[in-house]
PDB file of all heavy atoms in Angstrom:
ATOM      1  N   PHE A 823      96.523 102.739  74.002  1.00 86.00           N
ATOM      2  CA  PHE A 823      97.183 103.649  74.952  1.00 86.00           C
ATOM      3  C   PHE A 823      96.342 104.649  75.526  1.00 86.00           C
ATOM      4  O   PHE A 823      96.615 105.319  76.470  1.00 86.00           O
ATOM      5  CB  PHE A 823      98.370 104.266  74.297  1.00 86.00           C
ATOM      6  CG  PHE A 823      98.103 105.150  73.085  1.00 86.00           C
ATOM      7  CD1 PHE A 823      97.953 106.378  73.313  1.00 86.00           C
ATOM      8  CD2 PHE A 823      98.014 104.470  71.881  1.00 86.00           C
ATOM      9  CE1 PHE A 823      97.632 107.195  72.273  1.00 86.00           C
ATOM     10  CE2 PHE A 823      97.782 105.344  70.761  1.00 86.00           C
ATOM     11  CZ  PHE A 823      97.496 106.677  70.985  1.00 86.00           C
ATOM     12  N   MET A 824      95.177 104.789  74.849  1.00 88.00           N
ATOM     13  CA  MET A 824      94.265 105.903  75.321  1.00 88.00           C
ATOM     14  C   MET A 824      93.214 105.341  76.413  1.00 88.00           C
ATOM     15  O   MET A 824      92.314 106.002  76.825  1.00 88.00           O
ATOM     16  CB  MET A 824      93.291 106.432  74.220  1.00 88.00           C
ATOM     17  CG  MET A 824      94.125 107.283  73.175  1.00 88.00           C
ATOM     18  SD  MET A 824      94.513 108.881  73.864  1.00 88.00           S
ATOM     19  CE  MET A 824      92.908 109.649  73.685  1.00 88.00           C
ATOM     20  N   GLN A 825      93.467 104.099  76.718  1.00 89.00           N
ATOM     21  CA  GLN A 825      92.508 103.412  77.670  1.00 89.00           C
ATOM     22  C   GLN A 825      92.154 104.181  79.024  1.00 89.00           C
ATOM     23  O   GLN A 825      90.939 104.360  79.171  1.00 89.00           O
ATOM     24  CB  GLN A 825      93.165 102.112  78.049  1.00 89.00           C
ATOM     25  CG  GLN A 825      92.167 101.169  78.651  1.00 89.00           C
ATOM     26  CD  GLN A 825      92.954  99.799  79.226  1.00 89.00           C
ATOM     27  OE1 GLN A 825      93.998  99.995  79.830  1.00 89.00           O
ATOM     28  NE2 GLN A 825      92.399  98.700  78.954  1.00 89.00           N
ATOM     29  N   THR A 826      93.190 104.586  79.677  1.00 89.00           N
ATOM     30  CA  THR A 826      92.906 105.297  80.924  1.00 89.00           C
ATOM     31  C   THR A 826      91.988 106.600  80.656  1.00 89.00           C
ATOM     32  O   THR A 826      91.116 106.767  81.425  1.00 89.00           O
ATOM     33  CB  THR A 826      94.163 105.761  81.558  1.00 89.00           C
ATOM     34  OG1 THR A 826      95.086 104.724  81.376  1.00 89.00           O
ATOM     35  CG2 THR A 826      93.985 106.186  82.964  1.00 89.00           C
ATOM     36  N   VAL A 827      92.368 107.351  79.628  1.00 90.00           N
ATOM     37  CA  VAL A 827      91.701 108.566  79.429  1.00 90.00           C
ATOM     38  C   VAL A 827      90.285 108.321  79.063  1.00 90.00           C
ATOM     39  O   VAL A 827      89.339 108.987  79.615  1.00 90.00           O
ATOM     40  CB  VAL A 827      92.401 109.402  78.382  1.00 90.00           C
ATOM     41  CG1 VAL A 827      91.696 110.729  78.078  1.00 90.00           C
ATOM     42  CG2 VAL A 827      93.906 109.694  78.677  1.00 90.00           C
ATOM     43  N   VAL A 828      90.098 107.376  78.120  1.00 92.00           N
ATOM     44  CA  VAL A 828      88.711 107.064  77.613  1.00 92.00           C
ATOM     45  C   VAL A 828      87.877 106.483  78.713  1.00 92.00           C
ATOM     46  O   VAL A 828      86.794 106.940  78.829  1.00 92.00           O
ATOM     47  CB  VAL A 828      88.885 106.130  76.382  1.00 92.00           C
ATOM     48  CG1 VAL A 828      87.523 105.633  75.925  1.00 92.00           C
ATOM     49  CG2 VAL A 828      89.537 106.804  75.221  1.00 92.00           C
ATOM     50  N   PHE A 829      88.447 105.575  79.466  1.00 91.00           N
ATOM     51  CA  PHE A 829      87.562 104.927  80.577  1.00 91.00           C
ATOM     52  C   PHE A 829      87.147 105.867  81.487  1.00 91.00           C
ATOM     53  O   PHE A 829      85.934 105.824  81.910  1.00 91.00           O
ATOM     54  CB  PHE A 829      88.367 103.755  81.225  1.00 91.00           C
ATOM     55  CG  PHE A 829      88.373 102.509  80.364  1.00 91.00           C
ATOM     56  CD1 PHE A 829      87.976 102.537  79.043  1.00 91.00           C
ATOM     57  CD2 PHE A 829      88.688 101.269  81.019  1.00 91.00           C
ATOM     58  CE1 PHE A 829      87.895 101.324  78.319  1.00 91.00           C
ATOM     59  CE2 PHE A 829      88.722 100.125  80.228  1.00 91.00           C
ATOM     60  CZ  PHE A 829      88.460 100.103  78.907  1.00 91.00           C
ATOM     61  N   ILE A 830      87.976 106.782  82.000  1.00 89.00           N
ATOM     62  CA  ILE A 830      87.648 107.701  82.978  1.00 89.00           C
ATOM     63  C   ILE A 830      86.593 108.695  82.565  1.00 89.00           C
ATOM     64  O   ILE A 830      85.624 108.971  83.315  1.00 89.00           O
ATOM     65  CB  ILE A 830      88.806 108.432  83.764  1.00 89.00           C
ATOM     66  CG1 ILE A 830      88.400 109.141  84.941  1.00 89.00           C
ATOM     67  CG2 ILE A 830      89.588 109.336  82.821  1.00 89.00           C
ATOM     68  CD1 ILE A 830      88.061 108.313  86.152  1.00 89.00           C
ATOM     69  N   LEU A 831      86.681 109.090  81.371  1.00 89.00           N
ATOM     70  CA  LEU A 831      85.678 109.948  80.700  1.00 89.00           C
ATOM     71  C   LEU A 831      84.369 109.271  80.601  1.00 89.00           C
ATOM     72  O   LEU A 831      83.319 109.820  80.935  1.00 89.00           O
ATOM     73  CB  LEU A 831      86.204 110.541  79.416  1.00 89.00           C
ATOM     74  CG  LEU A 831      87.090 111.772  79.408  1.00 89.00           C
ATOM     75  CD1 LEU A 831      87.338 112.176  77.968  1.00 89.00           C
ATOM     76  CD2 LEU A 831      86.291 112.846  80.158  1.00 89.00           C
ATOM     77  N   VAL A 832      84.433 108.049  80.123  1.00 89.00           N
ATOM     78  CA  VAL A 832      83.145 107.303  79.924  1.00 89.00           C
ATOM     79  C   VAL A 832      82.439 107.113  81.314  1.00 89.00           C
ATOM     80  O   VAL A 832      81.329 107.248  81.417  1.00 89.00           O
ATOM     81  CB  VAL A 832      83.487 105.930  79.350  1.00 89.00           C
ATOM     82  CG1 VAL A 832      82.326 105.037  79.422  1.00 89.00           C
ATOM     83  CG2 VAL A 832      83.784 106.011  77.832  1.00 89.00           C
ATOM     84  N   ILE A 833      83.324 106.834  82.379  1.00 89.00           N
ATOM     85  CA  ILE A 833      82.750 106.644  83.600  1.00 89.00           C
ATOM     86  C   ILE A 833      82.108 107.892  84.165  1.00 89.00           C
ATOM     87  O   ILE A 833      80.992 107.877  84.675  1.00 89.00           O
ATOM     88  CB  ILE A 833      83.739 105.960  84.601  1.00 89.00           C
ATOM     89  CG1 ILE A 833      84.053 104.569  84.274  1.00 89.00           C
ATOM     90  CG2 ILE A 833      83.210 106.000  85.942  1.00 89.00           C
ATOM     91  CD1 ILE A 833      85.185 103.930  84.832  1.00 89.00           C
ATOM     92  N   ALA A 834      82.856 109.023  84.028  1.00 87.00           N
ATOM     93  CA  ALA A 834      82.312 110.234  84.578  1.00 87.00           C
ATOM     94  C   ALA A 834      81.078 110.662  83.836  1.00 87.00           C
ATOM     95  O   ALA A 834      80.063 111.027  84.524  1.00 87.00           O
ATOM     96  CB  ALA A 834      83.305 111.335  84.276  1.00 87.00           C
ATOM     97  N   SER A 835      80.992 110.573  82.527  1.00 87.00           N
ATOM     98  CA  SER A 835      79.713 110.888  81.840  1.00 87.00           C
ATOM     99  C   SER A 835      78.596 109.889  82.101  1.00 87.00           C
ATOM    100  O   SER A 835      77.437 110.198  82.206  1.00 87.00           O
ATOM    101  CB  SER A 835      79.937 111.016  80.291  1.00 87.00           C
ATOM    102  OG  SER A 835      80.820 110.032  79.856  1.00 87.00           O
ATOM    103  N   LEU A 836      79.044 108.563  82.315  1.00 88.00           N
ATOM    104  CA  LEU A 836      78.038 107.599  82.641  1.00 88.00           C
ATOM    105  C   LEU A 836      77.315 107.926  84.008  1.00 88.00           C
ATOM    106  O   LEU A 836      76.129 107.808  84.128  1.00 88.00           O
ATOM    107  CB  LEU A 836      78.737 106.204  82.709  1.00 88.00           C
ATOM    108  CG  LEU A 836      77.741 105.020  83.027  1.00 88.00           C
ATOM    109  CD1 LEU A 836      76.791 104.774  81.943  1.00 88.00           C
ATOM    110  CD2 LEU A 836      78.547 103.744  83.425  1.00 88.00           C
ATOM    111  N   VAL A 837      78.177 108.333  84.981  1.00 86.00           N
ATOM    112  CA  VAL A 837      77.610 108.688  86.272  1.00 86.00           C
ATOM    113  C   VAL A 837      76.633 109.821  86.077  1.00 86.00           C
ATOM    114  O   VAL A 837      75.540 109.933  86.606  1.00 86.00           O
ATOM    115  CB  VAL A 837      78.752 109.076  87.259  1.00 86.00           C
ATOM    116  CG1 VAL A 837      78.147 109.634  88.569  1.00 86.00           C
ATOM    117  CG2 VAL A 837      79.559 107.838  87.533  1.00 86.00           C
ATOM    118  N   GLN A 838      76.975 110.910  85.306  1.00 84.00           N
ATOM    119  CA  GLN A 838      76.151 112.014  85.071  1.00 84.00           C
ATOM    120  C   GLN A 838      74.767 111.611  84.475  1.00 84.00           C
ATOM    121  O   GLN A 838      73.743 111.952  84.804  1.00 84.00           O
ATOM    122  CB  GLN A 838      76.835 112.926  84.023  1.00 84.00           C
ATOM    123  CG  GLN A 838      77.782 113.998  84.707  1.00 84.00           C
ATOM    124  CD  GLN A 838      77.114 115.011  85.341  1.00 84.00           C
ATOM    125  OE1 GLN A 838      76.166 115.727  84.827  1.00 84.00           O
ATOM    126  NE2 GLN A 838      77.427 115.327  86.694  1.00 84.00           N
ATOM    127  N   PHE A 839      75.005 110.643  83.459  1.00 85.00           N
ATOM    128  CA  PHE A 839      73.755 110.164  82.764  1.00 85.00           C
ATOM    129  C   PHE A 839      72.774 109.346  83.697  1.00 85.00           C
ATOM    130  O   PHE A 839      71.704 109.605  83.653  1.00 85.00           O
ATOM    131  CB  PHE A 839      74.231 109.252  81.604  1.00 85.00           C
ATOM    132  CG  PHE A 839      73.190 108.776  80.693  1.00 85.00           C
ATOM    133  CD1 PHE A 839      72.498 109.583  79.887  1.00 85.00           C
ATOM    134  CD2 PHE A 839      72.702 107.395  80.896  1.00 85.00           C
ATOM    135  CE1 PHE A 839      71.388 109.047  79.176  1.00 85.00           C
ATOM    136  CE2 PHE A 839      71.716 106.959  80.156  1.00 85.00           C
ATOM    137  CZ  PHE A 839      71.071 107.744  79.264  1.00 85.00           C
ATOM    138  N   ILE A 840      73.486 108.565  84.483  1.00 83.00           N
ATOM    139  CA  ILE A 840      72.656 107.787  85.365  1.00 83.00           C
ATOM    140  C   ILE A 840      71.910 108.765  86.394  1.00 83.00           C
ATOM    141  O   ILE A 840      70.720 108.514  86.732  1.00 83.00           O
ATOM    142  CB  ILE A 840      73.562 106.785  86.268  1.00 83.00           C
ATOM    143  CG1 ILE A 840      74.121 105.685  85.299  1.00 83.00           C
ATOM    144  CG2 ILE A 840      72.705 106.097  87.325  1.00 83.00           C
ATOM    145  CD1 ILE A 840      74.988 104.650  86.068  1.00 83.00           C
ATOM    146  N   GLU A 841      72.595 109.755  86.765  1.00 83.00           N
ATOM    147  CA  GLU A 841      71.989 110.598  87.702  1.00 83.00           C
ATOM    148  C   GLU A 841      70.698 111.288  87.114  1.00 83.00           C
ATOM    149  O   GLU A 841      69.765 111.397  87.685  1.00 83.00           O
ATOM    150  CB  GLU A 841      72.986 111.796  88.099  1.00 83.00           C
ATOM    151  CG  GLU A 841      72.686 112.412  89.369  1.00 83.00           C
ATOM    152  CD  GLU A 841      73.763 113.518  89.755  1.00 83.00           C
ATOM    153  OE1 GLU A 841      74.913 113.407  89.246  1.00 83.00           O
ATOM    154  OE2 GLU A 841      73.450 114.325  90.421  1.00 83.00           O
ATOM    155  N   MET A 842      70.880 111.780  85.848  1.00 85.00           N
ATOM    156  CA  MET A 842      69.890 112.416  85.095  1.00 85.00           C
ATOM    157  C   MET A 842      68.706 111.407  84.947  1.00 85.00           C
ATOM    158  O   MET A 842      67.459 111.724  85.097  1.00 85.00           O
ATOM    159  CB  MET A 842      70.292 112.990  83.880  1.00 85.00           C
ATOM    160  CG  MET A 842      71.237 114.137  84.097  1.00 85.00           C
ATOM    161  SD  MET A 842      71.528 115.194  82.514  1.00 85.00           S
ATOM    162  CE  MET A 842      72.294 114.105  81.581  1.00 85.00           C
ATOM    163  N   ALA A 843      68.998 110.234  84.468  1.00 83.00           N
ATOM    164  CA  ALA A 843      68.036 109.186  84.157  1.00 83.00           C
ATOM    165  C   ALA A 843      67.164 108.889  85.451  1.00 83.00           C
ATOM    166  O   ALA A 843      65.999 108.860  85.316  1.00 83.00           O
ATOM    167  CB  ALA A 843      68.601 108.031  83.549  1.00 83.00           C
ATOM    168  N   LEU A 844      68.016 108.702  86.502  1.00 81.00           N
ATOM    169  CA  LEU A 844      67.187 108.367  87.825  1.00 81.00           C
ATOM    170  C   LEU A 844      66.362 109.460  88.178  1.00 81.00           C
ATOM    171  O   LEU A 844      65.181 109.129  88.637  1.00 81.00           O
ATOM    172  CB  LEU A 844      68.228 108.081  88.848  1.00 81.00           C
ATOM    173  CG  LEU A 844      68.812 106.708  88.918  1.00 81.00           C
ATOM    174  CD1 LEU A 844      69.735 106.577  90.192  1.00 81.00           C
ATOM    175  CD2 LEU A 844      67.863 105.682  89.011  1.00 81.00           C
ATOM    176  N   GLN A 845      66.782 110.693  88.034  1.00 84.00           N
ATOM    177  CA  GLN A 845      66.065 111.789  88.475  1.00 84.00           C
ATOM    178  C   GLN A 845      64.655 111.793  87.709  1.00 84.00           C
ATOM    179  O   GLN A 845      63.661 112.209  88.295  1.00 84.00           O
ATOM    180  CB  GLN A 845      66.896 113.129  88.259  1.00 84.00           C
ATOM    181  CG  GLN A 845      66.492 114.258  89.109  1.00 84.00           C
ATOM    182  CD  GLN A 845      67.418 115.450  88.860  1.00 84.00           C
ATOM    183  OE1 GLN A 845      68.198 115.401  88.003  1.00 84.00           O
ATOM    184  NE2 GLN A 845      67.181 116.430  89.726  1.00 84.00           N
ATOM    185  N   LYS A 846      64.760 111.584  86.402  1.00 88.00           N
ATOM    186  CA  LYS A 846      63.523 111.628  85.537  1.00 88.00           C
ATOM    187  C   LYS A 846      62.650 110.459  85.785  1.00 88.00           C
ATOM    188  O   LYS A 846      61.469 110.514  86.032  1.00 88.00           O
ATOM    189  CB  LYS A 846      64.002 111.661  84.107  1.00 88.00           C
ATOM    190  CG  LYS A 846      64.008 113.016  83.464  1.00 88.00           C
ATOM    191  CD  LYS A 846      62.823 113.094  82.525  1.00 88.00           C
ATOM    192  CE  LYS A 846      62.343 114.550  82.585  1.00 88.00           C
ATOM    193  NZ  LYS A 846      63.070 115.457  81.810  1.00 88.00           N
ATOM    194  N   MET A 847      63.209 109.160  85.896  1.00 84.00           N
ATOM    195  CA  MET A 847      62.477 108.070  85.843  1.00 84.00           C
ATOM    196  C   MET A 847      62.164 107.319  87.199  1.00 84.00           C
ATOM    197  O   MET A 847      61.029 106.873  87.298  1.00 84.00           O
ATOM    198  CB  MET A 847      63.094 106.955  84.896  1.00 84.00           C
ATOM    199  CG  MET A 847      63.103 107.325  83.485  1.00 84.00           C
ATOM    200  SD  MET A 847      63.779 106.173  82.345  1.00 84.00           S
ATOM    201  CE  MET A 847      65.488 106.149  82.679  1.00 84.00           C
ATOM    202  N   MET A 848      63.042 107.489  88.165  1.00 80.00           N
ATOM    203  CA  MET A 848      62.860 106.939  89.391  1.00 80.00           C
ATOM    204  C   MET A 848      63.169 107.861  90.567  1.00 80.00           C
ATOM    205  O   MET A 848      64.139 107.749  91.169  1.00 80.00           O
ATOM    206  CB  MET A 848      63.585 105.644  89.599  1.00 80.00           C
ATOM    207  CG  MET A 848      63.180 104.435  88.713  1.00 80.00           C
ATOM    208  SD  MET A 848      64.262 103.035  88.816  1.00 80.00           S
ATOM    209  CE  MET A 848      65.304 103.300  87.421  1.00 80.00           C
ATOM    210  N   PRO A 849      62.367 108.880  90.614  1.00 83.00           N
ATOM    211  CA  PRO A 849      62.637 109.915  91.606  1.00 83.00           C
ATOM    212  C   PRO A 849      62.782 109.395  93.034  1.00 83.00           C
ATOM    213  O   PRO A 849      63.657 109.901  93.856  1.00 83.00           O
ATOM    214  CB  PRO A 849      61.475 110.911  91.505  1.00 83.00           C
ATOM    215  CG  PRO A 849      60.450 110.263  90.736  1.00 83.00           C
ATOM    216  CD  PRO A 849      61.068 109.157  89.980  1.00 83.00           C
ATOM    217  N   ALA A 850      62.081 108.329  93.409  1.00 79.00           N
ATOM    218  CA  ALA A 850      62.186 107.798  94.712  1.00 79.00           C
ATOM    219  C   ALA A 850      63.665 107.230  94.984  1.00 79.00           C
ATOM    220  O   ALA A 850      64.282 107.600  95.931  1.00 79.00           O
ATOM    221  CB  ALA A 850      61.152 106.800  94.978  1.00 79.00           C
ATOM    222  N   LEU A 851      64.015 106.412  94.018  1.00 75.00           N
ATOM    223  CA  LEU A 851      65.440 105.932  94.095  1.00 75.00           C
ATOM    224  C   LEU A 851      66.500 107.012  93.994  1.00 75.00           C
ATOM    225  O   LEU A 851      67.399 107.058  94.814  1.00 75.00           O
ATOM    226  CB  LEU A 851      65.676 104.898  92.936  1.00 75.00           C
ATOM    227  CG  LEU A 851      66.848 104.033  93.055  1.00 75.00           C
ATOM    228  CD1 LEU A 851      66.812 103.184  94.326  1.00 75.00           C
ATOM    229  CD2 LEU A 851      67.105 103.278  91.813  1.00 75.00           C
ATOM    230  N   TYR A 852      66.175 108.060  93.221  1.00 79.00           N
ATOM    231  CA  TYR A 852      67.183 109.069  93.096  1.00 79.00           C
ATOM    232  C   TYR A 852      67.374 109.940  94.411  1.00 79.00           C
ATOM    233  O   TYR A 852      68.398 110.284  94.731  1.00 79.00           O
ATOM    234  CB  TYR A 852      66.678 110.184  92.060  1.00 79.00           C
ATOM    235  CG  TYR A 852      67.567 111.359  91.924  1.00 79.00           C
ATOM    236  CD1 TYR A 852      68.789 111.285  91.304  1.00 79.00           C
ATOM    237  CD2 TYR A 852      67.217 112.558  92.515  1.00 79.00           C
ATOM    238  CE1 TYR A 852      69.649 112.357  91.234  1.00 79.00           C
ATOM    239  CE2 TYR A 852      68.009 113.709  92.478  1.00 79.00           C
ATOM    240  CZ  TYR A 852      69.224 113.548  91.872  1.00 79.00           C
ATOM    241  OH  TYR A 852      70.013 114.684  91.699  1.00 79.00           O
TER     242      TYR A 852
END
Side-chain angles (χ1 to χ4, degrees):
Chain A
F823 62 92
M824 291 288 282
Q825 199 188 41
T826 317
V827 182
V828 170
F829 278 15
I830 188 70
L831 272 183
V832 167
I833 290 168
S835 39
L836 180 70
V837 171
Q838 277 286 308
F839 181 74
I840 292 176
E841 201 179 339
M842 289 192 297
L844 276 185
Q845 205 173 6
K846 262 254 147 76
M847 292 187 289
M848 289 175 263
L851 190 62
Y852 175 77

